[in-house]
Amino acid sequence: MEGVEEIVIAGAGLAGLATALGLHRKGVRSVVLESSATLRASGYAFTTWTNAFRALDALGVGDKIREHHLLYERLVAFSASTGEAAAKLSLKMQGKSGPHEIRCVKRNFLLETLENELPEGTIRYSSKIVAIEEEGNVKLLHMADGSTIRANVLVGCDGVNSVVARWLGLHKPILSGRSATRGLAEYPDGHGFGPEMLQFIGQGFRSGVLPCSDTSVYWNYTWYPSPADGDAEESVDKMRQHVLARLRAAKIPAEALDVIERSEMSDVVSSPLRFRSPLALVRGSICRGGVCVAGDAFHPMTPELGQGGCAALEDGVVLARCLGEALGAGGHGSAEAALAKYAGERRWRAVRLVTAAYFVGFVQQSSNPAIKFLREKFLSGLLARVMVDMADYDCGKL
């Protein structure tokens, strides 16, 4: 139909760009509408587990990411109470889908790599959807600038506050009661950390120090906000001092504190952690007609597994495969059937990830004396194993 886009993707995050690139590889054109003026690389970096590299390989960009990021050999979880290692786990192991592979990848590097693989003009910036209507089988996308775009298929990759998810009737994400802040430190002459993920757990917080390359280190910190935090939310400097004070009161090594002291932090000093209820994922409409959701618009989760971005890449590959089989050269079937197939493949994977992430976060940050005792004596190793097991997954090829 003249004047109608076949596939419109809302959002140029990981899920949106992965879907667009997967479709491009399948010979199917799409348009990506991004509300901001440029690519948004909030979060600085994210843990890219084995399952994410399977998806990146399917998209044809895995080696470009590997070239610039360190391969981890082990995960070490320290007790914030004793300063001792509560769990050590080798990451040099075989999984069901091949050798495990974990790196901490700079978000802007990954987004730019995906963007550069797309045909020029695929992404339309400063293009925000504010409302959605139906006209027969066509979706009318009303934009913030007053224009309207017509689409046969709409894929919502528009984040945790998704307009598309709201149109589908999915329940709003739930506040977990925890917040997160993060940053990235640069060491031009090298940082001295080994190829390992470091976690510091207990006393009501969870913190991680993760080298991205030989010269950059990412850190994160999640905690239960309280009135005792005072004015920490007022500025980057006050949040940094709040985090450092909490960590100095625990048994955190000086080199980890140095990462935070010298790092760049976002103007958004912290973010409340939200997740979509597993029950809402089981009962809710992931797709309806020619509309579906992916990434954080589908399955926002707390960050303890490091699987939010990884699962978004999985979504993109599976969705592109399903739509490509229906709409690509020699394709058969309808877009609606393709989206239903995608939803069937992804629903229970999302339920497992959201549930496991919440459970791991609760145990890691609980101040309950019984849970604290079990965590430091027995559970830290189990929780680390859960993280690796959840990453032992292959979403398949395009």
Side-chain angles (χ1 to χ4, degrees):
M1 295 176 62
E2 187 175 350
V4 178
E5 298 287 354
E6 184 61 39
I7 300 174
V8 169
I9 299 168
L14 292 177
L17 295 184
T19 302
L21 181 54
L23 289 168
H24 173 59
R25 301 289 196 226
K26 300 285 285 185
V28 178
R29 180 182 178 276
S30 65
V31 173
V32 180
L33 305 179
E34 169 54 44
S35 61
S36 65
T38 60
L39 283 179
R40 288 184 290 181
S42 60
Y44 292 108
F46 75 103
T47 312
T48 309
W49 291 83
T50 308
N51 53 314
F53 274 102
R54 300 292 174 267
L56 291 169
D57 284 337
L59 294 170
V61 296
D63 286 341
K64 293 182 179 181
I65 306 304
R66 291 182 180 97
E67 289 175 8
H68 297 273
H69 297 89
L70 291 175
L71 175 65
Y72 292 146
E73 296 180 4
R74 57 193 164 273
L75 183 157
V76 186
F78 293 89
S79 165
S81 300
T82 67
E84 297 177 356
K88 295 181 180 180
L89 182 66
S90 172
L91 300 176
K92 298 167 69 174
M93 62 177 78
Q94 285 288 126
K96 292 180 293 186
S97 58
H100 276 286
E101 178 179 11
I102 302 98
R103 293 171 167 84
C104 187
V105 172
K106 290 185 177 180
R107 187 176 292 270
N108 61 345
F109 183 89
L110 177 52
L111 291 173
E112 289 166 7
T113 299
L114 295 171
E115 180 189 32
N116 291 338
E117 296 288 315
L118 291 169
E120 187 175 352
T122 297
I123 305 174
R124 299 180 187 175
Y125 291 104
S126 301
S127 299
K128 182 178 180 179
I129 300 173
V130 294
I132 303 167
E133 290 185 301
E134 289 184 288
E135 184 180 79
N137 292 326
V138 174
K139 308 302 175 286
L140 303 180
L141 313 180
H142 299 289
M143 311 303 292
D145 64 1
S147 64
T148 299
I149 296 174
R150 297 155 61 86
N152 286 327
V153 174
L154 173 63
V155 179
C157 303
D158 47 341
V160 68
N161 297 312
S162 169
V163 172
V164 180
R166 186 165 65 244
W167 185 85
L168 285 170
L170 283 170
H171 288 292
K172 286 184 178 180
I174 301 168
L175 287 168
S176 69
R178 303 194 293 273
S179 289
T181 189
R182 53 191 68 86
L184 186 75
E186 297 292 346
Y187 292 78
D189 298 322
H191 48 64
F193 287 97
E196 57 190 10
M197 302 171 62
L198 303 179
Q199 291 188 339
F200 305 96
I201 299 166
Q203 298 194 8
F205 68 81
R206 169 187 174 273
S207 184
V209 173
L210 301 95
C212 296
S213 66
D214 291 332
T215 58
S216 60
V217 183
Y218 168 71
W219 65 270
N220 56 58
Y221 175 85
T222 64
W223 82 107
Y224 288 96
S226 74
D229 296 344
D231 58 1
E233 299 280 353
E234 288 185 1
S235 70
V236 169
D237 287 339
K238 289 181 179 180
M239 177 56 69
R240 188 194 313 276
Q241 293 310 312
H242 167 72
V243 173
L244 287 169
R246 288 289 302 272
L247 295 182
R248 287 187 181 118
K251 296 185 181 298
I252 306 301
E255 56 267 29
L257 299 176
D258 180 69
V259 172
I260 299 168
E261 287 177 331
R262 70 161 63 205
S263 67
E264 175 189 352
M265 293 176 64
S266 170
D267 290 337
V268 180
V269 294
S270 71
S271 306
L273 299 178
R274 291 178 281 177
F275 66 99
R276 180 155 280 127
S277 157
L279 187 59
L281 291 174
V282 171
R283 292 181 172 178
S285 296
I286 299 168
C287 68
R288 187 172 77 243
V291 180
C292 75
V293 283
D296 282 347
F298 171 16
H299 45 61
M301 63 186 77
T302 55
E304 288 78 16
L305 294 181
Q307 281 292 337
C310 301
L313 294 170
E314 290 179 11
D315 290 344
V317 171
V318 175
L319 183 51
R321 180 172 63 236
C322 292
L323 283 171
E325 289 172 353
L327 304 177
H332 52 86
S334 67
E336 289 189 19
L339 297 184
K341 182 179 178 181
Y342 156 78
E345 284 194 39
R346 297 303 296 165
R347 188 186 302 271
W348 290 104
R349 170 70 171 161
V351 168
R352 290 184 67 221
L353 289 173
V354 170
T355 304
Y358 184 84
F359 170 76
V360 169
F362 173 78
V363 173
Q364 285 184 337
Q365 294 182 231
S366 176
S367 297
N368 180 280
I371 294 177
K372 177 182 175 181
F373 172 81
L374 291 172
R375 179 180 66 226
E376 298 196 0
K377 296 296 183 182
F378 309 107
L379 291 179
S380 289
L382 173 62
L383 297 179
R385 186 73 228 188
V386 169
M387 295 171 70
V388 174
D389 287 347
M390 286 293 167
D392 193 7
Y393 182 86
D394 189 345
C395 63
K397 309 298 183 186
L398 287 171

